[in-house]
Amino acid sequence: MNREHGLEEASEPSPAAHQSEDLCCGGVDKRNKVVAFKFGGSSLLGAERMLHAARLVRQAAKVSKVAVVVSAMKGVTDHLLSIEKALLAGKLVHARREAEVALGLHLEVLEDLRLDEETDRRMRHELELLGHDLLHEVLSWKDGAASGESSDRLASFGERLSARLFAAALQQLGLAAVPVTSSEFVLTCDTFRHAQPHLQQSRQRGRKILLPLLEERAVPVVTGFIGATPDGRITTLGRNSSDFSGAIVAYVLEADELVIWTDVDGIYTANPQESAEAQLLHELSYDEAHALARGGAKVLHPKVLPLAAESEMVVWVRNTFNPQARGTRIGPPGDLSDALLSGGAA
Ligand code: ADP
Ligand code: ASP
Ligand code: MG
């Protein structure tokens, strides 16, 4: 990451909050509105950022039902895949040490979250159990490089660890939050590393798991990136695919909107970290966003768009570190208030 982020408290976590916080609007109880928030790896890097992101969720949860999808903390998936490389090179001791480093990193974040003693103890136990599974994965490694099956199991630990930590951050702020491993409902083919989800089956299974949580006003914190074959083998949907997982969860829940929270103010004409001329785009159609994503705009995974278009959900790309900015709206043509905002809020 090439710039420092100030973490101001958000006053507008979701474009839904452009509206007032009245709970009734034309007879419709806005608390029944469902939004899916996806947080990328840089938004989750460390306890301070997790708590900041959790405040955005808390704010939105005042007026909507919120489901969260998380990436691994920034750098963790690369780290896990470097363990695979070490294993393939026969460097078992190194691989084992790096697995311990990965667990240690998450335990440090846990400590920095400063949970109450009881929750901290429970969380530590949960993370250590996952760490134990990770170590077991390393020690029982069988070279399955061709199929990618072992690789996906290894890579899945990043999101499994971050989902638990993020749920703890939400609990720390007083919200009921439940970590959900997406392999419980995102059913995929067995093309490891690039698995394709079976959307209808995932939808059916996902609704059974997620809807009761939303009904209780608990926030499900779902792992991005991960699915499973029908016989229960963990798969991943491709690098950078947690955005797609966000869209899958939004689709499963028939969410009104999906917000991709990232580290820039929205989608630009070019990578704003690389080009001083890059212009923020306020409003895009699904096709326009798809073309930009396919053209390499890493800020949004291209697979989000066809799914969003099919279910006509509005997708926002917003900056976790600058939540006052409106972000980019992708969807059917906006109403007048959106059009006015898009001219004024950048
Ligand atoms: P996250 O971890 O939140 O998923 P990513 O690193 O995957 O974030 O995507 C955000 C990054 O995408 C930005 O920091 C930016 O450097 C890059 N990027 C590339 N092209 C664009 C673009 N056209 N508009 C905005 N960001 C872009
Ligand atoms: N953690 C995964 C990756 O680094 C997925 C994601 O972050 O979107 O590719
Ligand atoms: Mg990304």
Side-chain angles (χ1 to χ4, degrees):
M1 190 171 26
N2 47 15
R3 65 190 170 112
E4 281 305 307
H5 297 295
L7 300 181
E8 331 152 16
E9 172 114 23
S11 62
E12 280 190 310
S14 151
H18 286 310
Q19 301 150 358
S20 76
E21 287 194 4
D22 295 350
L23 293 177
C24 286
C25 172
V28 180
D29 185 343
K30 278 201 272 164
R31 284 173 304 176
N32 285 327
K33 185 176 170 120
V34 177
V35 297
F37 274 12
K38 178 265 171 176
F39 290 101
S42 56
S43 303
L44 301 169
L45 189 56
E48 199 190 338
R49 289 183 185 194
M50 284 213 184
L51 287 166
H52 171 74
R55 279 183 216 110
L56 298 173
V57 175
R58 181 175 62 182
Q59 188 75 14
K62 290 180 188 162
V63 290
S64 307
K65 293 176 178 165
V66 188
V68 171
V69 176
V70 290
S71 292
M73 291 197 299
K74 192 176 174 104
V76 168
T77 308
D78 287 341
H79 183 86
L80 292 166
L81 293 175
S82 79
I83 296 178
E84 181 193 15
K85 279 212 187 95
L87 287 165
L88 289 170
K91 298 179 184 164
L92 184 60
V93 176
H94 176 74
R96 185 190 173 136
R97 199 167 48 238
E98 292 304 312
E100 283 161 359
V101 167
L103 174 64
L105 178 74
H106 291 84
L107 287 173
E108 266 174 41
V109 175
L110 174 64
E111 201 173 314
D112 293 344
L113 283 175
R114 301 195 181 289
L115 305 173
D116 65 78
E117 208 175 310
E118 158 63 19
T119 318
D120 181 77
R121 202 178 42 74
R122 188 170 41 77
M123 281 300 306
R124 179 169 295 273
H125 180 63
E126 280 188 31
L127 294 189
E128 276 167 356
L129 281 179
L130 269 180
H132 185 269
D133 288 354
L134 171 60
L135 214 56
H136 177 74
E137 200 58 59
V138 168
L139 296 177
S140 59
W141 177 263
K142 288 195 190 60
D143 184 353
S147 77
E149 186 169 346
S150 323
S151 171
D152 277 2
R153 273 205 310 276
L154 253 188
S156 73
F157 281 92
E159 273 73 8
R160 289 157 74 189
L161 287 158
S162 68
R164 279 165 177 82
L165 283 172
F166 194 70
L170 289 169
Q171 287 161 10
Q172 165 79 328
L173 298 185
L175 275 91
V178 179
V180 177
T181 308
S182 48
S183 48
E184 283 180 41
F185 69 91
V186 178
L187 281 191
T188 72
C189 68
D190 62 0
T191 307
F192 295 97
R193 295 196 181 101
H194 295 283
Q196 296 288 343
H198 302 301
L199 286 172
Q200 290 317 320
Q201 291 172 48
S202 303
R203 186 174 180 279
Q204 273 176 13
R205 290 168 67 136
R207 289 178 78 75
K208 285 197 189 123
I209 295 173
L210 301 177
L211 286 179
L213 294 174
L214 291 185
E215 276 317 308
E216 291 166 23
R217 310 238 35 116
V219 178
V221 181
V222 183
T223 54
F225 189 43
I226 310 172
T229 59
D231 59 354
R233 290 174 295 154
I234 284 191
T235 53
T236 63
L237 310 182
R239 291 306 306 269
N240 213 16
S241 63
S242 289
D243 297 341
F244 185 33
S245 307
I248 293 171
V249 167
Y251 172 79
V252 163
L253 293 172
E254 293 172 5
D256 300 276
E257 43 181 63
L258 163 67
V259 187
I260 304 283
W261 289 100
T262 185
D263 59 358
V264 288
D265 278 351
I267 304 183
Y268 288 71
T269 48
N271 186 344
Q273 317 267 26
E274 288 170 4
S275 159
E277 270 93 63
Q279 301 279 317
L280 181 60
L281 296 161
H282 301 290
E283 196 82 30
L284 290 172
S285 68
Y286 297 114
D287 286 347
E288 288 165 339
H290 196 211
L292 281 160
R294 280 178 65 102
K298 184 191 175 214
V299 66
L300 189 59
H301 195 285
K303 285 191 179 167
V304 169
L305 286 320
L307 187 52
E310 187 191 319
S311 45
E312 291 189 346
M313 75 178 82
V314 173
V315 181
W316 294 86
V317 178
R318 304 193 65 196
N319 190 345
T320 313
F321 307 102
N322 184 19
Q324 307 303 330
R326 174 184 179 267
T328 300
R329 177 188 184 278
I330 303 157
D335 62 21
L336 187 59
S337 58
D338 278 335
L340 289 172
L341 275 164
S342 70

